[in-house]
Amino acid sequence: MEAAQANLAEVANNGLSLDALDIAQSLGNKGISVPVLGGMLRLIDVAIILTAGASALLTGPGAGVASSAHFIAAGLAVLFTLAFFQASDVYQVPVMRQRLSQIGRVSAGWTLVFAMFAVLRTATGFGAGVSDAWIGAWYALGLVGLCLTRLVLAQMVRRWTKSGSLERRAIIVGGGTAAQELIHDLEAQSDNDIRICGIFDDRSNDRSPAVVAGYPKLGNISALVEFARLARIDMLIVCIPLRAEKRVLELLKKLWILPVDIRLSAHTDKVRFRDRGTSFIGTVPFVDVAEKPIADWDMVAKRIFDLVFSVIAIVCLFPVMIATIIAIKLDSKGPVLFRQKRYGFNNEIIDVLKFRSMYTDMADPDAKKVVTKGDPRVTRVGRFIRKSSIDELPQLFNVLAGSLSLVGPRPHAVNAHTDNKTWDDVVDGYFARHKVKPGVTGWAQINGWRGEVDTPEKIQKRVECDVYYIENWSVLFDLKILFLTPLKLLNTENAY
């Protein structure tokens, strides 16, 4: 009860009304990436095609040993099937929802594949040594497998659609007539996957109505930032005339810290930003300002990277962790692990694990006082493990749990400060570093910005490195940082 009241008080302090809070909490479920869903379905199709072919060869009429013709036929079947299915929109979400339409398209595409085989066999003689019995069995097994998969898929997609997992949730920034026209245009698009979740506008109700096209105005721009951190929002649509350049830039300065796509509505303007791309939702044009970083397949690749390399690191460093546990226990009383509240993805508060490096009765979980050289709170073992960064090793388990990434901006304590100012007050746009998961190591550490932060310049440089990492992320970049980390740890100048 007390925690709920504290949460409501914090929200109220940030300008988010209780009505907006209720809506934000109702939008908290995780979404499903449409590109990833389509890609996974393609992989399932390939697996069904190859499995059906192998089963027909091993158990069907005229079972025999695979020849080069069988392998070539399997490869061609995969290519033809994916091409035909793509052409018939089988991998589009609106089609995935329809049982009969989807089965009809799949059946027609699969039949066309074997029609192509028949043409090739007649025209070139290719596959003359392959039995008709195998081809027939392969066709039948593949058709059954593909159709059954589509029936299951249709049920799942309908459930995901109903729960909102497959929709793109959007917030309109700016109200009035322009927002009303935009909403009407979006709702008029066929197969529109955009769900308008509310409107935010800094203007008062006499200039911006409280309800636009049936959607309520939930607050101002400051409230929007808090709302987007509580809800699963995919897109911000800034519905302000592009000719109002000053106001647009002021808004973008506040909004770019959020891990969402940002689009400028251009449906009533003829101008374009030359250095930005354009996109369309149906026939409604938008100017692309910012893309959500590390999304869709990039997110999948990064998660696989984290799991593989964190498991390898845990196995290799397990003896070091056991020795550290023993040393901490022998050196001072208290628990081996230390938990600290830090900022995670999108400003979520997470518990970060560390080996305890301070005396238990002097521990500082709120980071109210920066650790300095010769700090009496740090134990003898603590000084060594802090300098060598061994105290950070338990964060590998945070990576396995998913609250941290192996590489990313380092998670800072919630109350971290310099000169009696929290770091979000010291650095303009500080929270932009939270657009991705924080990491055990990062680009700032590779560039020497680790350890004590006693001047505004040090935190400024860290944030600059973090933003550079976010804007230039790739798996190869993560590998580079990961393999440079042990070398950079040799520099212990600022590590206390």
Side-chain angles (χ1 to χ4, degrees), residues 58 80 387:
L58 297 175
F80 287 151
K387 273 188 170 293

Side-chain angles (χ1 to χ4, degrees), residues 123-311:
T124 67
F126 167 75
V130 175
S131 70
D132 292 336
W134 174 69
I135 292 177
W138 185 18
Y139 172 79
L141 290 173
L143 183 62
V144 171
L146 291 169
C147 289
L148 287 176
T149 300
R150 261 46 189 200
L151 289 175
V152 174
L153 176 67
Q155 185 65 29
M156 295 175 66
V157 169
R158 289 185 178 191
R159 184 167 67 249
W160 291 333
T161 301
K162 186 176 181 180
S163 68
S165 298
L166 277 176
E167 65 191 5
R168 285 189 292 172
R169 295 175 177 175
I171 289 294
I172 302 292
V173 182
T177 304
Q180 181 175 342
E181 292 177 359
L182 173 64
I183 292 171
H184 288 159
D185 286 346
L186 287 175
E187 291 181 341
Q189 306 302 311
S190 60
D191 298 327
N192 177 29
D193 66 339
I194 298 292
R195 175 184 174 186
I196 306 298
C197 299
I199 297 171
F200 288 81
D201 197 341
D202 275 337
R203 295 175 297 176
S204 59
N205 287 348
D206 58 337
R207 298 181 59 199
S208 175
V211 178
V212 177
Y215 295 94
K217 186 169 70 174
L218 300 178
N220 57 21
I221 303 306
S222 297
L224 166 58
V225 173
E226 184 64 28
F227 184 91
R229 287 172 179 158
L230 296 175
R232 198 255 305 166
I233 299 299
D234 302 297
M235 181 185 302
L236 300 181
I237 301 176
V238 180
C239 190
I240 296 172
L242 302 185
R243 56 185 175 272
E245 181 180 0
K246 184 178 179 181
R247 187 178 174 212
V248 170
L249 292 176
E250 288 176 352
L251 283 174
L252 295 181
K253 185 178 179 181
K254 296 178 181 179
L255 299 176
W256 78 283
I257 65 174
L258 295 172
V260 297
D261 293 340
I262 300 179
R263 302 284 184 268
L264 297 184
S265 171
H267 75 298
T268 59
D269 288 273
K270 295 182 180 179
V271 296
R272 296 288 187 271
F273 290 147
R274 278 184 278 179
D275 60 338
R276 297 290 182 184
T278 57
S279 60
F280 290 84
I281 297 176
T283 59
V284 182
F286 294 89
V287 177
D288 302 340
V289 176
E291 297 284 348
K292 182 179 180 180
I294 315 182
D296 301 328
W297 282 108
D298 287 343
M299 187 183 299
V300 174
K302 188 166 179 61
R303 183 59 181 154
I304 293 173
F305 178 96
D306 286 343
L307 292 174
V308 170
F309 282 96
S310 60
V311 168

Side-chain angles (χ1 to χ4, degrees), residues 278-406:
T278 57
S279 60
F280 290 84
I281 297 176
T283 59
V284 182
F286 294 89
V287 177
D288 302 340
V289 176
E291 297 284 348
K292 182 179 180 180
I294 315 182
D296 301 328
W297 282 108
D298 287 343
M299 187 183 299
V300 174
K302 188 166 179 61
R303 183 59 181 154
I304 293 173
F305 178 96
D306 286 343
L307 292 174
V308 170
F309 282 96
S310 60
V311 168
I312 293 173
I314 289 172
V315 170
C316 294
L317 296 171
F318 189 71
V320 176
M321 288 191 274
I322 293 297
T324 303
I325 291 172
I326 295 173
I328 292 172
K329 277 295 186 182
L330 293 175
D331 185 51
S332 61
K333 295 181 180 180
V336 171
L337 293 178
F338 174 73
R339 288 177 172 82
Q340 189 174 60
K341 301 290 184 183
R342 298 196 178 191
Y343 282 119
F345 171 71
N346 202 22
N347 275 30
E348 177 187 1
I349 306 300
I350 60 174
D351 282 323
V352 171
L353 299 175
K354 298 181 68 174
F355 281 128
R356 180 175 59 83
S357 59
M358 294 185 179
Y359 293 103
T360 302
D361 57 349
M362 298 182 183
D364 185 17
D366 295 327
K368 294 180 179 179
K369 183 180 179 182
V370 176
V371 177
T372 58
K373 187 174 183 179
D375 198 312
R377 298 175 296 167
V378 180
T379 66
R380 290 174 299 172
V381 170
R383 288 191 179 90
F384 174 76
I385 63 176
R386 290 178 73 92
K387 273 188 170 293
S388 59
S389 291
I390 291 175
D391 64 323
E392 310 283 359
L393 292 183
Q395 290 168 30
L396 293 171
F397 294 98
N398 281 114
V399 176
L400 289 181
S403 58
L404 290 184
S405 184
L406 205 55

Side-chain angles (χ1 to χ4, degrees), residues 44-113:
I44 291 172
D45 285 344
V46 171
I48 291 173
I49 293 167
L50 298 180
T51 301
S55 299
L57 182 65
L58 297 175
T59 62
V65 180
S67 65
S68 59
H70 290 97
F71 289 111
I72 294 173
L76 290 175
V78 169
L79 293 176
F80 287 151
T81 302
L82 294 180
F84 292 149
F85 284 6
Q86 182 70 33
S88 57
D89 293 332
V90 168
Y91 300 115
Q92 300 297 318
V93 171
V95 176
M96 293 181 193
R97 284 195 289 262
Q98 303 170 21
R99 294 189 184 93
L100 295 179
S101 176
Q102 191 175 189
I103 289 176
R105 296 178 192 223
V106 165
S107 300
W110 184 238
T111 301
L112 279 174
V113 170

